[in-house]
mmCIF file of all heavy atoms in Angstrom:
data_model
loop_
_atom_site.group_PDB
_atom_site.id
_atom_site.type_symbol
_atom_site.label_atom_id
_atom_site.label_comp_id
_atom_site.label_asym_id
_atom_site.label_seq_id
_atom_site.Cartn_x
_atom_site.Cartn_y
_atom_site.Cartn_z
ATOM 1 N N LEU A 4 102.039 46.870 -29.218
ATOM 2 C CA LEU A 4 102.338 45.571 -29.601
ATOM 3 C C LEU A 4 102.347 44.502 -28.471
ATOM 4 O O LEU A 4 101.731 43.422 -28.576
ATOM 5 C CB LEU A 4 103.715 45.578 -30.361
ATOM 6 C CG LEU A 4 103.973 44.141 -31.063
ATOM 7 C CD1 LEU A 4 102.970 43.793 -32.127
ATOM 8 C CD2 LEU A 4 105.422 44.391 -31.662
ATOM 9 N N GLY A 19 90.196 27.519 -24.488
ATOM 10 C CA GLY A 19 90.031 26.119 -24.232
ATOM 11 C C GLY A 19 89.420 25.864 -22.912
ATOM 12 O O GLY A 19 89.239 24.783 -22.359
ATOM 13 N N LEU A 41 77.564 -5.861 -16.275
ATOM 14 C CA LEU A 41 78.590 -6.511 -17.151
ATOM 15 C C LEU A 41 79.400 -7.445 -16.327
ATOM 16 O O LEU A 41 79.812 -8.517 -16.793
ATOM 17 C CB LEU A 41 79.377 -5.383 -17.716
ATOM 18 C CG LEU A 41 80.634 -5.736 -18.740
ATOM 19 C CD1 LEU A 41 79.849 -6.473 -20.008
ATOM 20 C CD2 LEU A 41 81.282 -4.475 -19.246
ATOM 21 N N TYR A 56 70.266 -4.639 -15.076
ATOM 22 C CA TYR A 56 69.868 -3.972 -16.390
ATOM 23 C C TYR A 56 68.373 -3.379 -16.143
ATOM 24 O O TYR A 56 68.081 -2.391 -16.705
ATOM 25 C CB TYR A 56 69.868 -4.880 -17.550
ATOM 26 C CG TYR A 56 71.197 -5.068 -18.197
ATOM 27 C CD1 TYR A 56 71.769 -6.193 -18.488
ATOM 28 C CD2 TYR A 56 72.021 -3.912 -18.441
ATOM 29 C CE1 TYR A 56 73.095 -6.395 -18.936
ATOM 30 C CE2 TYR A 56 73.303 -4.038 -19.016
ATOM 31 C CZ TYR A 56 73.853 -5.278 -19.199
ATOM 32 O OH TYR A 56 75.055 -5.430 -19.743
ATOM 33 N N ASN A 63 66.536 5.136 -16.191
ATOM 34 C CA ASN A 63 66.357 5.931 -17.531
ATOM 35 C C ASN A 63 64.983 6.217 -17.796
ATOM 36 O O ASN A 63 64.648 7.288 -18.266
ATOM 37 C CB ASN A 63 66.973 5.028 -18.668
ATOM 38 C CG ASN A 63 68.475 5.177 -18.767
ATOM 39 O OD1 ASN A 63 69.087 6.108 -18.847
ATOM 40 N ND2 ASN A 63 69.074 3.942 -18.615
ATOM 41 N N ASN A 75 69.342 -0.563 -22.529
ATOM 42 C CA ASN A 75 69.098 -1.527 -21.488
ATOM 43 C C ASN A 75 68.101 -2.593 -21.990
ATOM 44 O O ASN A 75 68.321 -3.830 -21.536
ATOM 45 C CB ASN A 75 68.625 -0.856 -20.273
ATOM 46 C CG ASN A 75 69.768 -0.190 -19.570
ATOM 47 O OD1 ASN A 75 70.674 -0.819 -19.079
ATOM 48 N ND2 ASN A 75 69.731 1.172 -19.536
ATOM 49 N N ASN A 78 70.195 -4.912 -24.070
ATOM 50 C CA ASN A 78 71.126 -5.642 -23.214
ATOM 51 C C ASN A 78 70.428 -6.848 -22.572
ATOM 52 O O ASN A 78 70.868 -7.922 -22.425
ATOM 53 C CB ASN A 78 71.904 -4.760 -22.160
ATOM 54 C CG ASN A 78 72.932 -3.928 -22.792
ATOM 55 O OD1 ASN A 78 73.397 -4.171 -23.903
ATOM 56 N ND2 ASN A 78 73.367 -2.772 -22.098
ATOM 57 N N ILE A 81 69.786 -9.482 -25.092
ATOM 58 C CA ILE A 81 71.034 -10.278 -25.365
ATOM 59 C C ILE A 81 71.303 -11.177 -24.203
ATOM 60 O O ILE A 81 71.657 -12.411 -24.479
ATOM 61 C CB ILE A 81 72.348 -9.239 -25.391
ATOM 62 C CG1 ILE A 81 72.213 -8.465 -26.756
ATOM 63 C CG2 ILE A 81 73.664 -10.032 -25.512
ATOM 64 C CD1 ILE A 81 73.197 -7.320 -26.807
ATOM 65 N N ARG A 85 71.488 -15.188 -24.772
ATOM 66 C CA ARG A 85 72.546 -16.050 -24.365
ATOM 67 C C ARG A 85 72.129 -17.182 -23.345
ATOM 68 O O ARG A 85 72.870 -18.225 -23.233
ATOM 69 C CB ARG A 85 73.665 -15.256 -23.646
ATOM 70 C CG ARG A 85 74.462 -14.496 -24.755
ATOM 71 C CD ARG A 85 75.491 -13.565 -24.276
ATOM 72 N NE ARG A 85 76.112 -12.785 -25.320
ATOM 73 C CZ ARG A 85 76.960 -11.665 -25.212
ATOM 74 N NH1 ARG A 85 77.291 -11.455 -23.876
ATOM 75 N NH2 ARG A 85 77.433 -11.132 -26.119
ATOM 76 N N ARG A 153 81.087 -5.778 -39.030
ATOM 77 C CA ARG A 153 80.450 -6.867 -38.251
ATOM 78 C C ARG A 153 79.260 -7.339 -39.038
ATOM 79 O O ARG A 153 78.984 -8.496 -39.192
ATOM 80 C CB ARG A 153 80.148 -6.401 -36.938
ATOM 81 C CG ARG A 153 79.618 -7.373 -35.967
ATOM 82 C CD ARG A 153 79.529 -6.701 -34.643
ATOM 83 N NE ARG A 153 78.800 -5.491 -34.628
ATOM 84 C CZ ARG A 153 77.966 -5.059 -33.752
ATOM 85 N NH1 ARG A 153 77.695 -5.717 -32.679
ATOM 86 N NH2 ARG A 153 77.346 -3.848 -33.883
ATOM 87 N N ASN A 156 80.096 -9.365 -41.961
ATOM 88 C CA ASN A 156 80.519 -10.721 -41.559
ATOM 89 C C ASN A 156 79.274 -11.585 -41.466
ATOM 90 O O ASN A 156 79.257 -12.794 -41.797
ATOM 91 C CB ASN A 156 81.223 -10.642 -40.212
ATOM 92 C CG ASN A 156 82.669 -10.225 -40.450
ATOM 93 O OD1 ASN A 156 83.209 -10.145 -41.551
ATOM 94 N ND2 ASN A 156 83.329 -10.014 -39.306
ATOM 95 N N ARG A 160 78.203 -15.016 -43.474
ATOM 96 C CA ARG A 160 77.780 -16.316 -42.950
ATOM 97 C C ARG A 160 76.440 -16.715 -43.528
ATOM 98 O O ARG A 160 76.314 -17.994 -43.801
ATOM 99 C CB ARG A 160 77.607 -16.268 -41.355
ATOM 100 C CG ARG A 160 78.918 -15.979 -40.647
ATOM 101 C CD ARG A 160 78.701 -16.005 -39.211
ATOM 102 N NE ARG A 160 78.490 -17.318 -38.612
ATOM 103 C CZ ARG A 160 77.930 -17.606 -37.444
ATOM 104 N NH1 ARG A 160 77.580 -16.698 -36.607
ATOM 105 N NH2 ARG A 160 77.806 -18.826 -37.045
ATOM 106 N N PHE A 188 89.706 -5.901 -33.848
ATOM 107 C CA PHE A 188 90.568 -7.112 -34.192
ATOM 108 C C PHE A 188 89.775 -8.400 -34.099
ATOM 109 O O PHE A 188 90.024 -9.281 -34.950
ATOM 110 C CB PHE A 188 91.701 -7.187 -33.123
ATOM 111 C CG PHE A 188 92.528 -5.915 -33.094
ATOM 112 C CD1 PHE A 188 92.532 -4.989 -32.015
ATOM 113 C CD2 PHE A 188 93.255 -5.568 -34.173
ATOM 114 C CE1 PHE A 188 93.301 -3.887 -32.063
ATOM 115 C CE2 PHE A 188 94.052 -4.442 -34.150
ATOM 116 C CZ PHE A 188 94.020 -3.584 -33.165
ATOM 117 N N GLU A 189 88.809 -8.457 -33.196
ATOM 118 C CA GLU A 189 87.993 -9.760 -33.121
ATOM 119 C C GLU A 189 87.247 -9.926 -34.418
ATOM 120 O O GLU A 189 87.246 -11.010 -35.022
ATOM 121 C CB GLU A 189 87.038 -9.739 -31.981
ATOM 122 C CG GLU A 189 87.729 -9.871 -30.589
ATOM 123 C CD GLU A 189 86.751 -9.945 -29.440
ATOM 124 O OE1 GLU A 189 85.682 -10.529 -29.718
ATOM 125 O OE2 GLU A 189 86.962 -9.368 -28.376
ATOM 126 N N GLU A 190 86.551 -8.837 -34.888
ATOM 127 C CA GLU A 190 85.745 -8.998 -36.112
ATOM 128 C C GLU A 190 86.691 -9.122 -37.358
ATOM 129 O O GLU A 190 86.383 -9.780 -38.276
ATOM 130 C CB GLU A 190 84.838 -7.741 -36.347
ATOM 131 C CG GLU A 190 83.666 -7.802 -35.291
ATOM 132 C CD GLU A 190 82.719 -9.009 -35.460
ATOM 133 O OE1 GLU A 190 82.704 -9.599 -36.612
ATOM 134 O OE2 GLU A 190 82.113 -9.391 -34.538
ATOM 135 N N ASN A 193 87.320 -12.629 -37.536
ATOM 136 C CA ASN A 193 86.110 -13.336 -37.941
ATOM 137 C C ASN A 193 86.055 -13.223 -39.561
ATOM 138 O O ASN A 193 85.587 -14.150 -40.171
ATOM 139 C CB ASN A 193 84.834 -12.725 -37.382
ATOM 140 C CG ASN A 193 84.708 -13.065 -35.957
ATOM 141 O OD1 ASN A 193 85.320 -13.957 -35.383
ATOM 142 N ND2 ASN A 193 83.899 -12.327 -35.221
ATOM 143 N N ARG A 196 88.460 -15.616 -41.095
ATOM 144 C CA ARG A 196 87.898 -16.919 -41.017
ATOM 145 C C ARG A 196 86.777 -17.277 -42.066
ATOM 146 O O ARG A 196 86.812 -18.355 -42.724
ATOM 147 C CB ARG A 196 87.314 -17.253 -39.639
ATOM 148 C CG ARG A 196 87.190 -18.715 -39.308
ATOM 149 C CD ARG A 196 86.668 -18.932 -37.862
ATOM 150 N NE ARG A 196 87.312 -18.117 -36.947
ATOM 151 C CZ ARG A 196 86.811 -17.125 -36.205
ATOM 152 N NH1 ARG A 196 85.586 -16.745 -36.375
ATOM 153 N NH2 ARG A 196 87.548 -16.357 -35.475
ATOM 154 N N LEU A 197 85.995 -16.261 -42.314
ATOM 155 C CA LEU A 197 84.864 -16.455 -43.238
ATOM 156 C C LEU A 197 85.496 -16.395 -44.623
ATOM 157 O O LEU A 197 84.951 -17.316 -45.509
ATOM 158 C CB LEU A 197 83.917 -15.229 -43.118
ATOM 159 C CG LEU A 197 83.014 -15.344 -41.932
ATOM 160 C CD1 LEU A 197 82.361 -14.022 -41.574
ATOM 161 C CD2 LEU A 197 81.799 -16.344 -42.252
ATOM 162 N N ARG A 229 87.574 -20.076 -27.802
ATOM 163 C CA ARG A 229 86.650 -20.610 -28.806
ATOM 164 C C ARG A 229 86.986 -20.257 -30.195
ATOM 165 O O ARG A 229 86.838 -21.075 -31.087
ATOM 166 C CB ARG A 229 85.311 -19.928 -28.318
ATOM 167 C CG ARG A 229 84.088 -20.481 -29.164
ATOM 168 C CD ARG A 229 82.731 -19.947 -28.583
ATOM 169 N NE ARG A 229 81.899 -19.762 -29.734
ATOM 170 C CZ ARG A 229 81.486 -18.707 -30.431
ATOM 171 N NH1 ARG A 229 81.934 -17.503 -29.970
ATOM 172 N NH2 ARG A 229 80.693 -18.756 -31.491
ATOM 173 N N LYS A 230 87.458 -19.011 -30.401
ATOM 174 C CA LYS A 230 87.817 -18.621 -31.797
ATOM 175 C C LYS A 230 89.000 -19.360 -32.368
ATOM 176 O O LYS A 230 89.108 -19.747 -33.442
ATOM 177 C CB LYS A 230 88.054 -17.049 -31.867
ATOM 178 C CG LYS A 230 86.807 -16.248 -31.522
ATOM 179 C CD LYS A 230 85.627 -16.401 -32.496
ATOM 180 C CE LYS A 230 84.569 -15.506 -32.091
ATOM 181 N NZ LYS A 230 84.755 -14.137 -32.085
ATOM 182 N N ILE B 22 110.562 41.251 -34.912
ATOM 183 C CA ILE B 22 109.491 40.316 -34.838
ATOM 184 C C ILE B 22 109.800 39.076 -35.704
ATOM 185 O O ILE B 22 109.595 37.894 -35.264
ATOM 186 C CB ILE B 22 108.218 40.940 -35.278
ATOM 187 C CG1 ILE B 22 107.669 41.964 -34.273
ATOM 188 C CG2 ILE B 22 106.989 39.847 -35.484
ATOM 189 C CD1 ILE B 22 106.443 42.732 -34.577
ATOM 190 N N PHE B 50 100.174 -3.596 -31.444
ATOM 191 C CA PHE B 50 99.260 -3.806 -30.333
ATOM 192 C C PHE B 50 99.460 -5.132 -29.522
ATOM 193 O O PHE B 50 100.090 -5.953 -30.067
ATOM 194 C CB PHE B 50 97.838 -3.862 -30.810
ATOM 195 C CG PHE B 50 97.338 -2.660 -31.540
ATOM 196 C CD1 PHE B 50 97.632 -2.635 -32.919
ATOM 197 C CD2 PHE B 50 96.652 -1.634 -30.999
ATOM 198 C CE1 PHE B 50 97.231 -1.430 -33.735
ATOM 199 C CE2 PHE B 50 96.201 -0.567 -31.735
ATOM 200 C CZ PHE B 50 96.401 -0.491 -33.011
ATOM 201 N N ASP B 82 84.858 -4.165 -24.312
ATOM 202 C CA ASP B 82 83.604 -4.509 -23.731
ATOM 203 C C ASP B 82 83.599 -5.673 -22.805
ATOM 204 O O ASP B 82 82.805 -5.902 -21.992
ATOM 205 C CB ASP B 82 82.456 -4.813 -24.791
ATOM 206 C CG ASP B 82 82.050 -3.505 -25.470
ATOM 207 O OD1 ASP B 82 81.972 -2.519 -24.836
ATOM 208 O OD2 ASP B 82 81.919 -3.523 -26.670
ATOM 209 N N ALA B 84 86.151 -5.892 -20.721
ATOM 210 C CA ALA B 84 87.179 -5.448 -19.699
ATOM 211 C C ALA B 84 88.640 -5.909 -19.883
ATOM 212 O O ALA B 84 89.303 -6.079 -18.914
ATOM 213 C CB ALA B 84 86.665 -5.822 -18.246
ATOM 214 N N ARG B 85 88.945 -6.211 -21.153
ATOM 215 C CA ARG B 85 90.405 -6.445 -21.378
ATOM 216 C C ARG B 85 90.947 -5.115 -21.890
ATOM 217 O O ARG B 85 90.199 -4.238 -22.440
ATOM 218 C CB ARG B 85 90.561 -7.570 -22.454
ATOM 219 C CG ARG B 85 90.366 -8.941 -22.012
ATOM 220 C CD ARG B 85 90.865 -9.918 -22.956
ATOM 221 N NE ARG B 85 90.324 -9.624 -24.204
ATOM 222 C CZ ARG B 85 89.258 -10.285 -24.693
ATOM 223 N NH1 ARG B 85 88.536 -11.221 -24.026
ATOM 224 N NH2 ARG B 85 88.633 -9.919 -25.852
ATOM 225 N N PHE B 136 99.897 -7.595 -34.109
ATOM 226 C CA PHE B 136 99.606 -8.024 -32.707
ATOM 227 C C PHE B 136 100.760 -8.713 -32.135
ATOM 228 O O PHE B 136 101.167 -9.666 -32.729
ATOM 229 C CB PHE B 136 98.273 -8.714 -32.662
ATOM 230 C CG PHE B 136 97.183 -7.982 -32.018
ATOM 231 C CD1 PHE B 136 96.268 -7.393 -32.791
ATOM 232 C CD2 PHE B 136 97.049 -7.969 -30.706
ATOM 233 C CE1 PHE B 136 95.127 -6.646 -32.258
ATOM 234 C CE2 PHE B 136 95.975 -7.318 -30.064
ATOM 235 C CZ PHE B 136 95.064 -6.649 -30.792
ATOM 236 N N LYS B 293 87.880 17.259 -11.836
ATOM 237 C CA LYS B 293 86.912 18.226 -12.190
ATOM 238 C C LYS B 293 87.521 19.553 -12.745
ATOM 239 O O LYS B 293 86.850 20.416 -13.260
ATOM 240 C CB LYS B 293 86.063 18.542 -10.881
ATOM 241 C CG LYS B 293 85.203 17.392 -10.538
ATOM 242 C CD LYS B 293 84.505 17.678 -9.184
ATOM 243 C CE LYS B 293 83.720 16.424 -8.679
ATOM 244 N NZ LYS B 293 83.341 16.484 -7.377
ATOM 245 N N TRP B 295 89.439 21.852 -15.350
ATOM 246 C CA TRP B 295 89.892 21.946 -16.725
ATOM 247 C C TRP B 295 91.384 22.211 -16.846
ATOM 248 O O TRP B 295 91.927 22.943 -16.019
ATOM 249 C CB TRP B 295 89.171 23.070 -17.448
ATOM 250 C CG TRP B 295 89.468 23.174 -18.895
ATOM 251 C CD1 TRP B 295 88.967 22.458 -19.978
ATOM 252 C CD2 TRP B 295 90.558 23.963 -19.508
ATOM 253 N NE1 TRP B 295 89.635 22.769 -21.046
ATOM 254 C CE2 TRP B 295 90.494 23.707 -20.876
ATOM 255 C CE3 TRP B 295 91.546 24.824 -19.136
ATOM 256 C CZ2 TRP B 295 91.554 24.317 -21.783
ATOM 257 C CZ3 TRP B 295 92.353 25.503 -19.861
ATOM 258 C CH2 TRP B 295 92.317 25.169 -21.313
ATOM 259 N N LYS B 303 83.513 10.312 -19.567
ATOM 260 C CA LYS B 303 82.315 10.330 -18.640
ATOM 261 C C LYS B 303 81.737 8.891 -18.537
ATOM 262 O O LYS B 303 81.873 8.235 -19.713
ATOM 263 C CB LYS B 303 81.357 11.307 -19.134
ATOM 264 C CG LYS B 303 81.819 12.793 -19.356
ATOM 265 C CD LYS B 303 82.231 13.464 -18.135
ATOM 266 C CE LYS B 303 82.777 14.891 -18.235
ATOM 267 N NZ LYS B 303 84.061 14.887 -18.928
ATOM 268 N N PRO B 304 81.148 8.501 -17.541
ATOM 269 C CA PRO B 304 80.542 7.153 -17.423
ATOM 270 C C PRO B 304 79.335 7.235 -18.468
ATOM 271 O O PRO B 304 78.611 8.090 -18.548
ATOM 272 C CB PRO B 304 80.112 7.035 -16.034
ATOM 273 C CG PRO B 304 80.056 8.488 -15.416
ATOM 274 C CD PRO B 304 81.030 9.192 -16.188
ATOM 275 N N GLU B 306 76.572 4.592 -20.702
ATOM 276 C CA GLU B 306 75.925 3.374 -21.041
ATOM 277 C C GLU B 306 76.139 2.872 -22.458
ATOM 278 O O GLU B 306 76.059 3.635 -23.343
ATOM 279 C CB GLU B 306 74.338 3.460 -20.736
ATOM 280 C CG GLU B 306 74.028 3.575 -19.282
ATOM 281 C CD GLU B 306 72.420 3.640 -19.079
ATOM 282 O OE1 GLU B 306 71.903 4.785 -19.456
ATOM 283 O OE2 GLU B 306 71.913 2.599 -18.855
ATOM 284 N N LYS B 307 76.541 1.567 -22.540
ATOM 285 C CA LYS B 307 76.709 1.104 -23.931
ATOM 286 C C LYS B 307 76.075 -0.215 -24.085
ATOM 287 O O LYS B 307 75.923 -0.971 -23.074
ATOM 288 C CB LYS B 307 78.226 0.813 -24.184
ATOM 289 C CG LYS B 307 79.104 2.097 -24.167
ATOM 290 C CD LYS B 307 80.561 1.836 -24.571
ATOM 291 C CE LYS B 307 81.249 1.304 -23.405
ATOM 292 N NZ LYS B 307 82.725 1.237 -23.710
ATOM 293 N N PRO B 308 75.680 -0.551 -25.426
ATOM 294 C CA PRO B 308 75.120 -1.942 -25.520
ATOM 295 C C PRO B 308 76.273 -2.995 -25.451
ATOM 296 O O PRO B 308 77.403 -2.717 -25.693
ATOM 297 C CB PRO B 308 74.599 -1.825 -26.937
ATOM 298 C CG PRO B 308 74.812 -0.483 -27.487
ATOM 299 C CD PRO B 308 75.723 0.204 -26.609
ATOM 300 N N LEU B 309 75.806 -4.188 -25.013
ATOM 301 C CA LEU B 309 76.745 -5.277 -24.997
ATOM 302 C C LEU B 309 77.302 -5.595 -26.418
ATOM 303 O O LEU B 309 76.496 -5.511 -27.307
ATOM 304 C CB LEU B 309 76.120 -6.568 -24.382
ATOM 305 C CG LEU B 309 75.842 -6.612 -22.944
ATOM 306 C CD1 LEU B 309 74.917 -7.752 -22.538
ATOM 307 C CD2 LEU B 309 77.162 -6.740 -22.142
ATOM 308 N N LYS B 310 78.562 -6.028 -26.534
ATOM 309 C CA LYS B 310 79.106 -6.307 -27.803
ATOM 310 C C LYS B 310 78.638 -7.615 -28.279
ATOM 311 O O LYS B 310 78.689 -8.657 -27.622
ATOM 312 C CB LYS B 310 80.576 -6.330 -27.659
ATOM 313 C CG LYS B 310 81.181 -6.422 -29.060
ATOM 314 C CD LYS B 310 82.701 -6.106 -29.180
ATOM 315 C CE LYS B 310 83.096 -6.151 -30.636
ATOM 316 N NZ LYS B 310 83.824 -7.245 -31.072
ATOM 317 N N VAL B 311 77.960 -7.589 -29.382
ATOM 318 C CA VAL B 311 77.511 -8.964 -30.065
ATOM 319 C C VAL B 311 78.368 -9.204 -31.179
ATOM 320 O O VAL B 311 78.651 -8.406 -32.070
ATOM 321 C CB VAL B 311 75.981 -8.773 -30.573
ATOM 322 C CG1 VAL B 311 75.627 -10.019 -31.221
ATOM 323 C CG2 VAL B 311 75.158 -8.419 -29.361
ATOM 324 N N ASP B 312 78.996 -10.422 -31.131
ATOM 325 C CA ASP B 312 79.984 -10.780 -32.201
ATOM 326 C C ASP B 312 79.243 -11.369 -33.355
ATOM 327 O O ASP B 312 78.131 -11.928 -33.220
ATOM 328 C CB ASP B 312 80.808 -11.949 -31.495
ATOM 329 C CG ASP B 312 81.980 -12.347 -32.313
ATOM 330 O OD1 ASP B 312 82.985 -11.581 -32.263
ATOM 331 O OD2 ASP B 312 81.943 -13.326 -32.990
ATOM 332 N N SER B 313 79.786 -11.309 -34.498
ATOM 333 C CA SER B 313 79.139 -11.882 -35.733
ATOM 334 C C SER B 313 79.157 -13.350 -35.706
ATOM 335 O O SER B 313 78.423 -14.071 -36.441
ATOM 336 C CB SER B 313 79.818 -11.329 -36.969
ATOM 337 O OG SER B 313 81.190 -11.725 -36.984
ATOM 338 N N TYR B 314 79.880 -14.037 -34.720
ATOM 339 C CA TYR B 314 79.885 -15.415 -34.557
ATOM 340 C C TYR B 314 79.228 -15.773 -33.243
ATOM 341 O O TYR B 314 79.492 -16.787 -32.583
ATOM 342 C CB TYR B 314 81.274 -15.944 -34.497
ATOM 343 C CG TYR B 314 81.866 -16.488 -35.812
ATOM 344 C CD1 TYR B 314 82.346 -15.675 -36.812
ATOM 345 C CD2 TYR B 314 81.752 -17.840 -36.140
ATOM 346 C CE1 TYR B 314 82.763 -16.135 -38.013
ATOM 347 C CE2 TYR B 314 82.316 -18.258 -37.325
ATOM 348 C CZ TYR B 314 82.754 -17.530 -38.329
ATOM 349 O OH TYR B 314 83.036 -17.916 -39.484
ATOM 350 N N GLU B 315 78.189 -14.970 -32.822
ATOM 351 C CA GLU B 315 77.528 -15.108 -31.542
ATOM 352 C C GLU B 315 76.798 -16.416 -31.567
ATOM 353 O O GLU B 315 76.098 -16.742 -32.595
ATOM 354 C CB GLU B 315 76.513 -13.960 -31.472
ATOM 355 C CG GLU B 315 75.742 -14.120 -30.091
ATOM 356 C CD GLU B 315 76.288 -13.273 -28.972
ATOM 357 O OE1 GLU B 315 77.307 -12.632 -29.167
ATOM 358 O OE2 GLU B 315 75.744 -13.309 -27.914
#
Side-chain angles (χ1 to χ4, degrees):
Chain A
L4 183 63
L41 186 62
Y56 280 132
N63 281 301
N75 284 294
N78 288 340
I81 293 169
R85 287 179 184 171
R153 182 177 49 147
N156 280 351
R160 289 185 76 193
F188 302 112
E189 285 186 39
E190 289 296 335
N193 289 343
R196 193 178 317 111
L197 284 162
R229 187 176 147 253
K230 298 293 179 64
Chain B
I22 291 173
F50 300 84
D82 287 322
R85 284 195 305 269
F136 248 96
K293 291 175 187 162
W295 181 85
K303 309 290 180 287
E306 288 180 281
K307 286 189 285 190
L309 284 170
K310 186 166 188 255
V311 175
D312 191 77
S313 58
Y314 263 81
E315 183 92 1

